[in-house]
Short mmCIF file of all heavy atoms in Angstrom, two decimals:
data_model
loop_
_atom_site.label_atom_id
_atom_site.label_comp_id
_atom_site.label_asym_id
_atom_site.label_seq_id
_atom_site.Cartn_x
_atom_site.Cartn_y
_atom_site.Cartn_z
N MET A 1092 44.61 20.35 -246.45
CA MET A 1092 43.38 19.89 -247.10
C MET A 1092 42.19 20.77 -246.64
O MET A 1092 42.12 21.23 -245.44
CB MET A 1092 42.98 18.44 -246.65
CG MET A 1092 41.86 17.87 -247.28
SD MET A 1092 41.38 16.22 -246.86
CE MET A 1092 42.87 15.21 -246.93
N ASP A 1093 41.49 21.24 -247.53
CA ASP A 1093 40.30 21.99 -247.25
C ASP A 1093 39.35 21.44 -246.21
O ASP A 1093 39.19 20.20 -246.23
CB ASP A 1093 39.53 22.25 -248.60
CG ASP A 1093 38.26 23.05 -248.37
OD1 ASP A 1093 38.50 24.37 -248.40
OD2 ASP A 1093 37.19 22.54 -248.23
N LYS A 1094 38.71 22.19 -245.40
CA LYS A 1094 37.87 21.74 -244.36
C LYS A 1094 36.70 20.93 -244.83
O LYS A 1094 36.39 19.86 -244.24
CB LYS A 1094 37.30 22.97 -243.55
CG LYS A 1094 36.37 22.60 -242.43
CD LYS A 1094 35.82 23.78 -241.77
CE LYS A 1094 34.71 23.35 -240.71
NZ LYS A 1094 34.05 24.43 -240.19
N ARG A 1095 36.13 21.32 -246.01
CA ARG A 1095 35.01 20.58 -246.54
C ARG A 1095 35.46 19.23 -247.11
O ARG A 1095 34.78 18.20 -246.85
CB ARG A 1095 34.33 21.35 -247.59
CG ARG A 1095 33.53 22.51 -247.18
CD ARG A 1095 32.81 23.22 -248.35
NE ARG A 1095 33.70 23.45 -249.44
CZ ARG A 1095 33.36 23.66 -250.68
NH1 ARG A 1095 32.13 23.66 -251.00
NH2 ARG A 1095 34.22 23.90 -251.60
N LEU A 1096 36.63 19.20 -247.71
CA LEU A 1096 37.08 17.93 -248.19
C LEU A 1096 37.46 17.02 -247.02
O LEU A 1096 37.24 15.77 -247.09
CB LEU A 1096 38.30 18.19 -249.07
CG LEU A 1096 38.76 17.01 -249.89
CD1 LEU A 1096 37.71 16.35 -250.78
CD2 LEU A 1096 40.05 17.35 -250.81
N ARG A 1097 38.05 17.49 -245.96
CA ARG A 1097 38.39 16.69 -244.80
C ARG A 1097 37.10 16.15 -244.15
O ARG A 1097 37.04 15.01 -243.83
CB ARG A 1097 39.20 17.56 -243.81
CG ARG A 1097 39.75 16.69 -242.70
CD ARG A 1097 40.65 17.49 -241.68
NE ARG A 1097 41.31 18.69 -242.34
CZ ARG A 1097 41.07 19.94 -242.00
NH1 ARG A 1097 40.19 20.27 -241.09
NH2 ARG A 1097 41.72 20.94 -242.68
N GLU A 1098 36.20 17.04 -244.04
CA GLU A 1098 34.83 16.55 -243.50
C GLU A 1098 34.16 15.48 -244.31
O GLU A 1098 33.68 14.51 -243.84
CB GLU A 1098 33.84 17.77 -243.23
CG GLU A 1098 32.65 17.41 -242.50
CD GLU A 1098 31.77 18.61 -242.28
OE1 GLU A 1098 32.21 19.71 -242.46
OE2 GLU A 1098 30.58 18.29 -241.88
N CYS A 1099 34.30 15.71 -245.65
CA CYS A 1099 33.68 14.70 -246.55
C CYS A 1099 34.46 13.37 -246.44
O CYS A 1099 33.78 12.31 -246.32
CB CYS A 1099 33.78 15.23 -247.95
SG CYS A 1099 33.09 14.13 -249.26
N SER A 1100 35.71 13.47 -246.37
CA SER A 1100 36.52 12.24 -246.17
C SER A 1100 36.28 11.51 -244.88
O SER A 1100 36.00 10.33 -244.91
CB SER A 1100 38.09 12.62 -246.18
OG SER A 1100 38.79 11.50 -245.89
N ASP A 1101 35.99 12.24 -243.83
CA ASP A 1101 35.69 11.70 -242.52
C ASP A 1101 34.32 10.91 -242.64
O ASP A 1101 34.17 9.84 -242.05
CB ASP A 1101 35.72 12.74 -241.43
CG ASP A 1101 37.08 13.19 -241.11
OD1 ASP A 1101 38.05 12.61 -241.44
OD2 ASP A 1101 37.14 14.35 -240.39
N LYS A 1102 33.35 11.59 -243.24
CA LYS A 1102 32.05 11.03 -243.34
C LYS A 1102 32.09 9.79 -244.18
O LYS A 1102 31.43 8.73 -243.85
CB LYS A 1102 31.01 12.05 -243.94
CG LYS A 1102 30.71 13.17 -243.01
CD LYS A 1102 29.73 14.17 -243.53
CE LYS A 1102 29.47 15.36 -242.64
NZ LYS A 1102 28.87 14.97 -241.44
N LEU A 1103 32.76 9.80 -245.32
CA LEU A 1103 32.87 8.62 -246.17
C LEU A 1103 33.57 7.43 -245.41
O LEU A 1103 33.16 6.32 -245.49
CB LEU A 1103 33.50 8.95 -247.43
CG LEU A 1103 32.65 9.76 -248.40
CD1 LEU A 1103 33.49 10.15 -249.61
CD2 LEU A 1103 31.37 9.23 -248.80
N ARG A 1104 34.63 7.78 -244.70
CA ARG A 1104 35.35 6.72 -243.99
C ARG A 1104 34.35 6.11 -242.89
O ARG A 1104 34.34 4.90 -242.73
CB ARG A 1104 36.44 7.30 -243.18
CG ARG A 1104 37.65 7.56 -244.12
CD ARG A 1104 38.81 8.24 -243.25
NE ARG A 1104 39.81 8.77 -244.18
CZ ARG A 1104 40.80 8.10 -244.71
NH1 ARG A 1104 40.92 6.80 -244.46
NH2 ARG A 1104 41.70 8.74 -245.42
N LYS A 1105 33.57 6.89 -242.19
CA LYS A 1105 32.60 6.36 -241.28
C LYS A 1105 31.53 5.53 -241.93
O LYS A 1105 31.21 4.43 -241.39
CB LYS A 1105 31.92 7.55 -240.42
CG LYS A 1105 30.97 7.13 -239.48
CD LYS A 1105 30.36 8.28 -238.70
CE LYS A 1105 29.43 7.89 -237.63
NZ LYS A 1105 28.65 6.83 -237.70
N LEU A 1106 31.02 5.92 -243.05
CA LEU A 1106 30.15 5.15 -243.77
C LEU A 1106 30.72 3.86 -244.25
O LEU A 1106 30.09 2.70 -244.00
CB LEU A 1106 29.62 5.95 -244.99
CG LEU A 1106 28.58 5.20 -245.89
CD1 LEU A 1106 27.33 4.89 -245.11
CD2 LEU A 1106 28.24 6.06 -247.05
N VAL A 1107 31.83 3.80 -244.70
CA VAL A 1107 32.51 2.58 -245.16
C VAL A 1107 32.71 1.66 -244.00
O VAL A 1107 32.51 0.44 -244.01
CB VAL A 1107 33.81 2.81 -245.98
CG1 VAL A 1107 34.61 1.58 -246.08
CG2 VAL A 1107 33.46 3.46 -247.26
N SER A 1108 33.16 2.17 -242.87
CA SER A 1108 33.51 1.49 -241.62
C SER A 1108 32.12 0.83 -241.15
O SER A 1108 32.10 -0.34 -240.81
CB SER A 1108 34.00 2.42 -240.61
OG SER A 1108 34.14 1.72 -239.36
N ASP A 1109 31.06 1.63 -241.17
CA ASP A 1109 29.74 1.05 -240.76
C ASP A 1109 29.30 -0.05 -241.61
O ASP A 1109 28.76 -0.99 -241.28
CB ASP A 1109 28.74 2.21 -240.76
CG ASP A 1109 28.88 3.19 -239.60
OD1 ASP A 1109 29.75 2.93 -238.68
OD2 ASP A 1109 28.32 4.21 -239.63
N VAL A 1110 29.51 0.07 -243.00
CA VAL A 1110 29.10 -0.91 -243.96
C VAL A 1110 29.93 -2.18 -243.66
O VAL A 1110 29.32 -3.38 -243.65
CB VAL A 1110 29.28 -0.50 -245.41
CG1 VAL A 1110 29.09 -1.63 -246.34
CG2 VAL A 1110 28.25 0.58 -245.65
N GLN A 1111 31.18 -2.07 -243.40
CA GLN A 1111 32.06 -3.20 -243.15
C GLN A 1111 31.63 -3.96 -241.88
O GLN A 1111 31.79 -5.20 -241.78
CB GLN A 1111 33.47 -2.81 -243.00
CG GLN A 1111 34.18 -2.45 -244.32
CD GLN A 1111 35.52 -1.95 -244.06
OE1 GLN A 1111 35.89 -1.33 -243.20
NE2 GLN A 1111 36.40 -2.21 -245.10
N GLY A 1112 30.98 -3.26 -240.90
CA GLY A 1112 30.61 -3.90 -239.65
C GLY A 1112 29.23 -4.46 -239.74
O GLY A 1112 28.66 -4.85 -238.68
N ALA A 1113 28.68 -4.69 -240.93
CA ALA A 1113 27.34 -5.19 -241.04
C ALA A 1113 27.28 -6.59 -240.48
O ALA A 1113 28.02 -7.49 -240.82
CB ALA A 1113 26.90 -5.13 -242.52
N PRO A 1114 26.15 -6.91 -239.70
CA PRO A 1114 25.85 -8.19 -239.26
C PRO A 1114 25.36 -9.08 -240.39
O PRO A 1114 24.68 -8.51 -241.23
CB PRO A 1114 24.91 -8.13 -238.13
CG PRO A 1114 24.20 -6.78 -238.40
CD PRO A 1114 25.24 -5.94 -239.14
N TYR A 1115 25.64 -10.37 -240.46
CA TYR A 1115 25.05 -11.11 -241.38
C TYR A 1115 23.56 -11.38 -241.20
O TYR A 1115 23.10 -11.78 -240.11
CB TYR A 1115 25.73 -12.58 -241.46
CG TYR A 1115 25.19 -13.40 -242.61
CD1 TYR A 1115 25.52 -13.19 -243.90
CD2 TYR A 1115 24.26 -14.43 -242.36
CE1 TYR A 1115 24.94 -14.07 -244.92
CE2 TYR A 1115 23.80 -15.22 -243.22
CZ TYR A 1115 24.15 -15.05 -244.60
OH TYR A 1115 23.70 -15.88 -245.61
N PRO A 1116 22.70 -11.05 -242.14
CA PRO A 1116 21.28 -11.02 -241.87
C PRO A 1116 20.70 -12.47 -242.06
O PRO A 1116 20.18 -12.79 -243.22
CB PRO A 1116 20.64 -10.03 -242.88
CG PRO A 1116 21.67 -10.09 -244.02
CD PRO A 1116 23.02 -10.35 -243.42
N GLY A 1117 20.94 -13.40 -241.21
CA GLY A 1117 20.33 -14.63 -241.32
C GLY A 1117 18.79 -14.66 -241.42
O GLY A 1117 18.16 -15.40 -242.01
N ASN A 1118 18.27 -13.63 -240.73
CA ASN A 1118 16.84 -13.39 -240.72
C ASN A 1118 16.65 -11.92 -240.72
O ASN A 1118 17.17 -11.16 -239.87
CB ASN A 1118 16.23 -14.03 -239.48
CG ASN A 1118 14.70 -13.79 -239.43
OD1 ASN A 1118 14.14 -13.02 -240.32
ND2 ASN A 1118 14.07 -14.28 -238.47
N LEU A 1119 15.99 -11.35 -241.73
CA LEU A 1119 15.90 -9.90 -241.86
C LEU A 1119 15.11 -9.29 -240.70
O LEU A 1119 15.17 -8.01 -240.56
CB LEU A 1119 15.27 -9.52 -243.22
CG LEU A 1119 16.08 -9.82 -244.47
CD1 LEU A 1119 15.35 -9.30 -245.66
CD2 LEU A 1119 17.45 -9.03 -244.39
N GLU A 1120 14.49 -10.14 -239.86
CA GLU A 1120 13.83 -9.64 -238.75
C GLU A 1120 14.66 -9.65 -237.46
O GLU A 1120 14.12 -9.26 -236.40
CB GLU A 1120 12.52 -10.39 -238.48
CG GLU A 1120 11.48 -10.18 -239.68
CD GLU A 1120 10.23 -11.06 -239.62
OE1 GLU A 1120 10.13 -11.68 -238.53
OE2 GLU A 1120 9.59 -11.12 -240.60
N ASP A 1121 15.97 -9.91 -237.65
CA ASP A 1121 16.92 -10.05 -236.47
C ASP A 1121 17.02 -8.59 -236.08
O ASP A 1121 17.35 -7.68 -236.75
CB ASP A 1121 18.15 -10.55 -236.99
CG ASP A 1121 19.19 -10.72 -235.86
OD1 ASP A 1121 18.78 -10.96 -234.70
OD2 ASP A 1121 20.40 -10.60 -236.21
N GLU A 1122 16.94 -8.48 -234.66
CA GLU A 1122 17.01 -7.19 -234.03
C GLU A 1122 18.45 -6.52 -234.28
O GLU A 1122 18.47 -5.31 -234.57
CB GLU A 1122 16.78 -7.30 -232.52
CG GLU A 1122 16.81 -5.97 -231.78
CD GLU A 1122 16.52 -6.05 -230.25
OE1 GLU A 1122 16.22 -7.15 -229.80
OE2 GLU A 1122 16.55 -5.11 -229.65
N LEU A 1123 19.53 -7.28 -234.21
CA LEU A 1123 20.78 -6.70 -234.43
C LEU A 1123 20.86 -6.10 -235.86
O LEU A 1123 21.44 -5.03 -236.04
CB LEU A 1123 21.88 -7.73 -234.19
CG LEU A 1123 23.34 -7.25 -234.47
CD1 LEU A 1123 23.71 -6.22 -233.52
CD2 LEU A 1123 24.31 -8.50 -234.33
N TYR A 1124 20.37 -6.75 -236.85
CA TYR A 1124 20.41 -6.27 -238.24
C TYR A 1124 19.50 -5.09 -238.38
O TYR A 1124 19.99 -4.12 -239.03
CB TYR A 1124 19.84 -7.38 -239.13
CG TYR A 1124 20.00 -6.96 -240.63
CD1 TYR A 1124 21.22 -7.00 -241.32
CD2 TYR A 1124 18.81 -6.48 -241.30
CE1 TYR A 1124 21.35 -6.61 -242.63
CE2 TYR A 1124 18.98 -6.08 -242.70
CZ TYR A 1124 20.18 -6.15 -243.23
OH TYR A 1124 20.28 -5.80 -244.52
N GLU A 1125 18.40 -5.01 -237.70
CA GLU A 1125 17.51 -3.82 -237.81
C GLU A 1125 18.24 -2.54 -237.15
O GLU A 1125 18.13 -1.49 -237.73
CB GLU A 1125 16.23 -4.07 -237.00
CG GLU A 1125 15.22 -4.97 -237.76
CD GLU A 1125 13.98 -5.20 -236.98
OE1 GLU A 1125 13.51 -4.20 -236.34
OE2 GLU A 1125 13.38 -6.31 -237.08
N ILE A 1126 18.83 -2.77 -236.08
CA ILE A 1126 19.61 -1.66 -235.34
C ILE A 1126 20.78 -1.17 -236.25
O ILE A 1126 20.90 0.03 -236.52
CB ILE A 1126 20.19 -2.14 -234.06
CG1 ILE A 1126 19.02 -2.29 -232.99
CG2 ILE A 1126 21.17 -1.08 -233.53
CD1 ILE A 1126 19.47 -3.08 -231.71
N TRP A 1127 21.48 -2.16 -236.89
CA TRP A 1127 22.55 -1.76 -237.85
C TRP A 1127 21.98 -1.06 -239.01
O TRP A 1127 22.45 -0.01 -239.43
CB TRP A 1127 23.30 -3.02 -238.28
CG TRP A 1127 24.28 -2.65 -239.35
CD1 TRP A 1127 25.63 -2.06 -239.26
CD2 TRP A 1127 24.01 -2.78 -240.77
NE1 TRP A 1127 26.07 -1.86 -240.54
CE2 TRP A 1127 25.19 -2.30 -241.45
CE3 TRP A 1127 22.95 -3.22 -241.54
CZ2 TRP A 1127 25.33 -2.26 -242.82
CZ3 TRP A 1127 23.14 -3.17 -242.88
CH2 TRP A 1127 24.14 -2.73 -243.49
N TYR A 1128 20.88 -1.44 -239.57
CA TYR A 1128 20.36 -0.95 -240.73
C TYR A 1128 19.89 0.51 -240.56
O TYR A 1128 20.18 1.36 -241.34
CB TYR A 1128 19.16 -1.82 -241.30
CG TYR A 1128 18.54 -1.33 -242.62
CD1 TYR A 1128 19.20 -1.70 -243.76
CD2 TYR A 1128 17.46 -0.52 -242.55
CE1 TYR A 1128 18.65 -1.22 -244.99
CE2 TYR A 1128 16.97 -0.10 -243.82
CZ TYR A 1128 17.55 -0.44 -244.99
OH TYR A 1128 17.03 0.01 -246.20
N GLU A 1129 19.24 0.76 -239.41
CA GLU A 1129 18.82 2.09 -239.11
C GLU A 1129 20.02 3.00 -238.93
O GLU A 1129 20.01 4.16 -239.50
CB GLU A 1129 17.96 2.12 -237.81
CG GLU A 1129 16.59 1.52 -237.97
CD GLU A 1129 15.81 1.32 -236.66
OE1 GLU A 1129 16.17 2.04 -235.67
OE2 GLU A 1129 14.79 0.57 -236.65
N HIS A 1130 21.04 2.50 -238.37
CA HIS A 1130 22.26 3.33 -237.99
C HIS A 1130 22.89 3.70 -239.42
O HIS A 1130 23.25 4.82 -239.64
CB HIS A 1130 23.17 2.58 -237.17
CG HIS A 1130 24.58 3.23 -237.06
ND1 HIS A 1130 24.75 4.31 -236.24
CD2 HIS A 1130 25.71 2.96 -237.61
CE1 HIS A 1130 25.98 4.70 -236.30
NE2 HIS A 1130 26.70 3.93 -237.14
N ILE A 1131 23.04 2.72 -240.35
CA ILE A 1131 23.73 2.96 -241.59
C ILE A 1131 22.85 3.82 -242.49
O ILE A 1131 23.45 4.63 -243.26
CB ILE A 1131 24.05 1.60 -242.28
CG1 ILE A 1131 25.08 1.75 -243.42
CG2 ILE A 1131 22.95 0.88 -242.92
CD1 ILE A 1131 26.45 2.09 -242.86
N GLN A 1132 21.61 3.85 -242.34
CA GLN A 1132 20.74 4.64 -243.14
C GLN A 1132 20.92 6.09 -242.64
O GLN A 1132 20.98 7.05 -243.63
CB GLN A 1132 19.20 4.21 -243.01
CG GLN A 1132 18.92 3.07 -243.82
CD GLN A 1132 19.10 3.23 -245.28
OE1 GLN A 1132 18.66 4.25 -245.89
NE2 GLN A 1132 19.82 2.29 -245.82
N ARG A 1133 21.05 6.36 -241.42
CA ARG A 1133 21.27 7.76 -240.93
C ARG A 1133 22.58 8.25 -241.43
O ARG A 1133 22.74 9.35 -241.81
CB ARG A 1133 21.18 7.75 -239.39
CG ARG A 1133 19.75 7.70 -238.84
CD ARG A 1133 19.75 8.07 -237.30
NE ARG A 1133 20.62 7.17 -236.54
CZ ARG A 1133 20.09 6.04 -236.03
NH1 ARG A 1133 18.84 5.73 -236.16
NH2 ARG A 1133 20.95 5.30 -235.25
N THR A 1134 23.55 7.39 -241.37
CA THR A 1134 24.98 7.79 -241.73
C THR A 1134 24.93 8.08 -243.32
O THR A 1134 25.52 9.02 -243.71
CB THR A 1134 26.01 6.73 -241.45
OG1 THR A 1134 25.94 6.38 -240.04
CG2 THR A 1134 27.41 7.07 -241.81
N ALA A 1135 24.31 7.26 -244.12
CA ALA A 1135 24.23 7.43 -245.56
C ALA A 1135 23.53 8.78 -245.84
O ALA A 1135 23.94 9.53 -246.70
CB ALA A 1135 23.57 6.23 -246.19
N VAL A 1136 22.44 8.99 -245.22
CA VAL A 1136 21.66 10.23 -245.45
C VAL A 1136 22.47 11.46 -245.03
O VAL A 1136 22.59 12.49 -245.84
CB VAL A 1136 20.30 10.30 -244.60
CG1 VAL A 1136 19.67 11.65 -244.61
CG2 VAL A 1136 19.36 9.29 -245.23
N GLU A 1137 23.24 11.43 -243.91
CA GLU A 1137 24.18 12.42 -243.59
C GLU A 1137 25.21 12.70 -244.68
O GLU A 1137 25.53 13.85 -244.97
CB GLU A 1137 24.84 12.18 -242.29
CG GLU A 1137 25.73 13.16 -241.71
CD GLU A 1137 26.33 12.77 -240.41
OE1 GLU A 1137 25.63 12.20 -239.53
OE2 GLU A 1137 27.57 12.98 -240.28
N CYS A 1138 25.80 11.65 -245.22
CA CYS A 1138 26.75 11.83 -246.26
C CYS A 1138 26.20 12.42 -247.50
O CYS A 1138 26.76 13.32 -248.12
CB CYS A 1138 27.35 10.43 -246.59
SG CYS A 1138 28.59 9.78 -245.48
N PHE A 1139 24.91 11.91 -247.90
CA PHE A 1139 24.39 12.58 -249.05
C PHE A 1139 24.07 14.01 -248.97
O PHE A 1139 24.11 14.82 -249.90
CB PHE A 1139 23.16 11.75 -249.58
CG PHE A 1139 23.58 10.50 -250.35
CD1 PHE A 1139 23.09 9.26 -249.89
CD2 PHE A 1139 24.25 10.52 -251.41
CE1 PHE A 1139 23.36 8.07 -250.47
CE2 PHE A 1139 24.66 9.33 -252.11
CZ PHE A 1139 24.21 8.16 -251.71
N GLU A 1140 23.51 14.38 -247.75
CA GLU A 1140 23.12 15.74 -247.48
C GLU A 1140 24.37 16.66 -247.53
O GLU A 1140 24.29 17.72 -248.13
CB GLU A 1140 22.49 15.83 -246.15
CG GLU A 1140 21.07 15.32 -246.16
CD GLU A 1140 20.41 15.32 -244.74
OE1 GLU A 1140 21.09 15.48 -243.71
OE2 GLU A 1140 19.21 15.12 -244.62
N PHE A 1141 25.45 16.11 -247.03
CA PHE A 1141 26.76 16.86 -247.03
C PHE A 1141 27.18 17.09 -248.51
O PHE A 1141 27.56 18.16 -248.91
CB PHE A 1141 27.78 16.21 -246.22
CG PHE A 1141 29.11 16.91 -246.22
CD1 PHE A 1141 29.34 17.98 -245.30
CD2 PHE A 1141 30.06 16.66 -247.16
CE1 PHE A 1141 30.50 18.64 -245.32
CE2 PHE A 1141 31.25 17.37 -247.17
CZ PHE A 1141 31.53 18.40 -246.26
N LEU A 1142 27.14 16.01 -249.27
CA LEU A 1142 27.59 16.05 -250.68
C LEU A 1142 26.71 17.02 -251.43
O LEU A 1142 27.19 17.78 -252.27
CB LEU A 1142 27.60 14.69 -251.31
CG LEU A 1142 28.68 13.74 -250.88
CD1 LEU A 1142 28.35 12.37 -251.40
CD2 LEU A 1142 30.11 14.25 -251.25
N ASP A 1143 25.42 17.03 -251.24
CA ASP A 1143 24.49 17.84 -251.93
C ASP A 1143 24.76 19.32 -251.64
O ASP A 1143 24.66 20.19 -252.52
CB ASP A 1143 22.96 17.45 -251.66
CG ASP A 1143 22.54 16.16 -252.43
OD1 ASP A 1143 23.23 15.76 -253.35
OD2 ASP A 1143 21.53 15.60 -252.05
N ALA A 1144 25.01 19.55 -250.35
CA ALA A 1144 25.21 20.94 -249.90
C ALA A 1144 26.53 21.53 -250.33
O ALA A 1144 26.68 22.65 -250.66
CB ALA A 1144 25.18 21.03 -248.36
N ASN A 1145 27.52 20.67 -250.45
CA ASN A 1145 28.96 21.16 -250.73
C ASN A 1145 29.48 20.84 -252.11
O ASN A 1145 30.35 21.45 -252.62
CB ASN A 1145 29.90 20.55 -249.71
CG ASN A 1145 29.65 21.13 -248.31
OD1 ASN A 1145 29.99 22.30 -248.08
ND2 ASN A 1145 28.93 20.38 -247.50
N PHE A 1146 28.81 19.87 -252.77
CA PHE A 1146 29.32 19.42 -254.10
C PHE A 1146 28.13 19.23 -255.02
O PHE A 1146 27.79 18.02 -255.25
CB PHE A 1146 30.21 18.16 -254.08
CG PHE A 1146 31.37 18.38 -253.14
CD1 PHE A 1146 31.30 17.83 -251.83
CD2 PHE A 1146 32.49 19.00 -253.52
CE1 PHE A 1146 32.40 17.95 -250.99
CE2 PHE A 1146 33.57 19.09 -252.73
CZ PHE A 1146 33.54 18.66 -251.40
N PRO A 1147 27.35 20.16 -255.36
CA PRO A 1147 26.09 19.98 -256.12
C PRO A 1147 26.26 19.23 -257.47
O PRO A 1147 27.23 19.50 -258.09
CB PRO A 1147 25.59 21.39 -256.37
CG PRO A 1147 26.56 22.34 -255.78
CD PRO A 1147 27.70 21.56 -255.20
N ARG A 1148 25.32 18.43 -257.75
CA ARG A 1148 25.35 17.64 -259.00
C ARG A 1148 25.30 18.46 -260.21
O ARG A 1148 25.81 18.15 -261.22
CB ARG A 1148 24.18 16.64 -259.04
CG ARG A 1148 24.32 15.50 -258.12
CD ARG A 1148 23.14 14.64 -258.25
NE ARG A 1148 23.60 13.28 -258.05
CZ ARG A 1148 22.95 12.17 -258.61
NH1 ARG A 1148 21.90 12.35 -259.32
NH2 ARG A 1148 23.45 11.06 -258.34
N GLU A 1149 24.46 19.54 -260.22
CA GLU A 1149 24.24 20.33 -261.30
C GLU A 1149 25.45 21.15 -261.77
O GLU A 1149 25.37 21.71 -262.81
CB GLU A 1149 22.99 21.28 -261.19
CG GLU A 1149 23.05 22.15 -260.01
CD GLU A 1149 22.58 21.52 -258.66
OE1 GLU A 1149 22.16 20.41 -258.62
OE2 GLU A 1149 22.73 22.27 -257.68
N GLN A 1150 26.45 21.12 -260.97
CA GLN A 1150 27.62 21.86 -261.31
C GLN A 1150 28.27 21.17 -262.51
O GLN A 1150 28.37 19.97 -262.53
CB GLN A 1150 28.63 21.77 -260.11
CG GLN A 1150 29.85 22.75 -260.37
CD GLN A 1150 30.62 22.90 -259.11
OE1 GLN A 1150 30.14 22.64 -258.06
NE2 GLN A 1150 31.75 23.42 -259.25
N GLU A 1151 28.54 21.94 -263.51
CA GLU A 1151 28.96 21.41 -264.82
C GLU A 1151 30.24 20.65 -264.76
O GLU A 1151 30.42 19.56 -265.32
CB GLU A 1151 29.03 22.47 -265.90
CG GLU A 1151 27.75 22.97 -266.33
CD GLU A 1151 27.82 23.89 -267.46
OE1 GLU A 1151 28.83 23.80 -268.18
OE2 GLU A 1151 26.79 24.58 -267.63
N ASP A 1152 31.24 21.15 -264.01
CA ASP A 1152 32.55 20.57 -263.97
C ASP A 1152 33.07 20.51 -262.55
O ASP A 1152 33.61 21.38 -262.03
CB ASP A 1152 33.59 21.33 -264.78
CG ASP A 1152 34.90 20.62 -264.99
OD1 ASP A 1152 35.04 19.50 -264.46
OD2 ASP A 1152 35.72 21.17 -265.61
N ILE A 1153 32.72 19.39 -261.89
CA ILE A 1153 33.16 19.13 -260.53
C ILE A 1153 34.71 19.31 -260.26
O ILE A 1153 35.07 19.58 -259.15
CB ILE A 1153 32.60 17.89 -259.95
CG1 ILE A 1153 32.79 17.73 -258.41
CG2 ILE A 1153 33.34 16.63 -260.60
CD1 ILE A 1153 31.78 18.59 -257.70
N SER A 1154 35.46 19.03 -261.27
CA SER A 1154 36.96 18.99 -261.15
C SER A 1154 37.35 20.45 -260.86
O SER A 1154 38.36 20.69 -260.17
CB SER A 1154 37.63 18.45 -262.45
OG SER A 1154 37.34 19.24 -263.56
N LYS A 1155 36.67 21.43 -261.37
CA LYS A 1155 36.99 22.86 -260.98
C LYS A 1155 36.88 23.10 -259.52
O LYS A 1155 37.64 23.80 -258.93
CB LYS A 1155 36.09 23.85 -261.89
CG LYS A 1155 36.56 23.83 -263.29
CD LYS A 1155 35.56 24.79 -264.04
CE LYS A 1155 35.90 24.78 -265.51
NZ LYS A 1155 34.98 25.60 -266.35
N THR A 1156 35.80 22.63 -258.91
CA THR A 1156 35.55 22.79 -257.51
C THR A 1156 36.63 22.04 -256.70
O THR A 1156 37.21 22.58 -255.81
CB THR A 1156 34.12 22.25 -257.12
OG1 THR A 1156 33.16 22.98 -257.88
CG2 THR A 1156 33.92 22.32 -255.62
N ILE A 1157 36.92 20.85 -257.10
CA ILE A 1157 37.92 20.05 -256.34
C ILE A 1157 39.31 20.68 -256.49
O ILE A 1157 40.01 20.88 -255.61
CB ILE A 1157 37.98 18.59 -256.93
CG1 ILE A 1157 36.70 17.93 -256.58
CG2 ILE A 1157 39.14 17.84 -256.37
CD1 ILE A 1157 36.42 16.59 -257.22
N ASN A 1158 39.59 21.28 -257.73
CA ASN A 1158 40.94 21.86 -257.94
C ASN A 1158 41.03 23.15 -257.03
O ASN A 1158 42.08 23.47 -256.70
CB ASN A 1158 41.16 22.24 -259.31
CG ASN A 1158 41.41 21.03 -260.25
OD1 ASN A 1158 41.85 19.96 -259.66
ND2 ASN A 1158 41.09 21.08 -261.54
N LYS A 1159 39.94 23.84 -256.79
CA LYS A 1159 39.97 25.08 -255.96
C LYS A 1159 40.26 24.72 -254.54
O LYS A 1159 40.76 25.54 -253.77
CB LYS A 1159 38.61 25.75 -256.01
CG LYS A 1159 38.42 26.59 -257.23
CD LYS A 1159 37.14 27.43 -257.08
CE LYS A 1159 36.18 27.16 -258.25
NZ LYS A 1159 34.95 27.84 -258.03
N MET A 1160 40.05 23.50 -254.06
CA MET A 1160 40.29 23.11 -252.71
C MET A 1160 41.73 22.87 -252.42
O MET A 1160 42.14 22.98 -251.24
CB MET A 1160 39.53 21.78 -252.44
CG MET A 1160 38.02 21.97 -252.50
SD MET A 1160 37.36 20.31 -252.09
CE MET A 1160 35.69 20.75 -252.10
N PHE A 1161 42.51 22.67 -253.47
CA PHE A 1161 43.93 22.44 -253.13
C PHE A 1161 44.78 23.69 -253.35
O PHE A 1161 44.67 24.50 -253.97
CB PHE A 1161 44.46 21.30 -254.01
CG PHE A 1161 43.78 20.07 -253.68
CD1 PHE A 1161 42.78 19.53 -254.55
CD2 PHE A 1161 44.09 19.34 -252.58
CE1 PHE A 1161 42.17 18.34 -254.25
CE2 PHE A 1161 43.50 18.16 -252.25
CZ PHE A 1161 42.49 17.59 -253.05
#
């Protein structure tokens, strides 16, 4: 697997894992929820930055890029 695709996969797995671990927000001012929310936001931004840098949206046919990886 291409290094970029592997890194993307790892980042997305981390993001999904972090989302699955979300505390139930009984009160949106709960400290545990705030900590989790800040953490998940950093992880999401990291994922989007990676995707933007390695798989630009303006590319007409993303499948060509993906096919080159294999």
Side-chain angles (χ1 to χ4, degrees):
M1092 185 184 306
D1093 180 84
K1094 180 184 174 190
R1095 291 183 308 158
L1096 190 55
R1097 189 173 333 116
E1098 188 176 346
C1099 183
S1100 173
D1101 291 343
K1102 288 181 183 299
L1103 291 175
R1104 285 179 194 275
K1105 183 178 183 325
L1106 180 61
V1107 170
S1108 175
D1109 289 348
V1110 169
Q1111 286 177 328
Y1115 181 77
N1118 179 356
L1119 291 180
E1120 296 175 10
D1121 183 29
E1122 184 178 354
L1123 180 60
Y1124 184 78
E1125 286 181 35
I1126 292 169
W1127 170 83
Y1128 185 80
E1129 289 175 17
H1130 174 77
I1131 197 72
Q1132 286 299 310
R1133 282 192 301 270
T1134 303
V1136 166
E1137 183 180 317
C1138 284
F1139 282 124
E1140 287 173 350
F1141 181 85
L1142 289 172
D1143 285 344
N1145 293 282
F1146 305 99
R1148 285 180 147 206
E1149 57 274 358
Q1150 188 168 349
E1151 288 186 22
D1152 189 1
I1153 192 75
S1154 64
K1155 290 179 184 175
T1156 300
I1157 293 171
N1158 288 337
K1159 283 190 234 176
M1160 293 180 176
F1161 295 106

